[in-house]
Structures are given as structure tokens and as C-alpha cells.
Amino acid sequence: MRHAGCYAEDYVGTELKVLRDTTRTIVTDRAAAHLEVGPDVLFEPGATGEVQFVNLMWLLEFSHINGERETIARRITLWWPLCA
């Protein structure tokens, strides 16, 4: 909070929501999944302050037949400055 003018005026903290936690067995070389993230998730947090930015992060954890494990993480940040 060194530069408080760059935070939402009523900043009260950070909130984390898990949108999907799914385990699937995939027996092909390719797979796809869809998850809709609407404005109700992005702009109506449980906290009482204003939303200034949202990090959408997904983790893919693979378990291969040979027992090896692999994790891939990706993140997209959506933000808008509320600086005075």
C-alpha cells in the first residue's frame, strides 16, 4: 500500500474463488474444456470494496502412464487503474 492512490478507494483485501476443480481421464492426444466466466464472477466479490483487477489462473496437472507428473500454470490479468 505504498502508493495508496493506485488502489481502489475502498480496498479491503484480496479474494480467491475456485471456479472448477475437475479430474478427467484423457485417452487421446488432444482434449478441450470450456468454462464461462461471467460478470457475476468478475465484478461481484464477497468483499465490500471495489474490484480493481482480476487474475484468471488455470493449472493443468498431468499424470502420465509411466508415473511422471507435470504441471502447467497460466494466468491472465484484467485490470483497470483507479489512480487519482
Side-chain angles (χ1 to χ4, degrees):
M1 296 293 291
R2 287 184 194 163
H3 308 289
C6 290
Y7 288 87
E9 187 174 326
D10 298 324
Y11 179 80
V12 294
T14 300
E15 179 179 338
L16 173 68
K17 291 184 182 180
V18 175
L19 301 180
R20 180 185 289 167
D21 186 1
T22 304
T23 301
R24 292 178 28 188
T25 300
I26 300 172
V27 294
T28 65
D29 291 340
R30 296 177 183 263
H34 174 80
L35 176 65
E36 187 171 322
V37 180
D40 57 323
V41 173
L42 296 177
F43 302 111
E44 294 183 17
T48 58
E50 297 177 26
V51 175
Q52 182 177 350
F53 68 91
V54 176
N55 285 319
L56 298 177
M57 176 182 274
W58 61 96
L59 296 171
L60 301 174
E61 297 177 321
F62 300 97
S63 296
H64 299 276
I65 292 174
N66 65 3
E68 289 184 31
R69 296 185 61 114
E70 179 181 1
T71 301
I72 298 173
R74 296 289 185 264
R75 179 176 64 192
I76 298 173
T77 300
L78 306 172
W79 68 279
W80 44 98
L82 293 176
C83 299

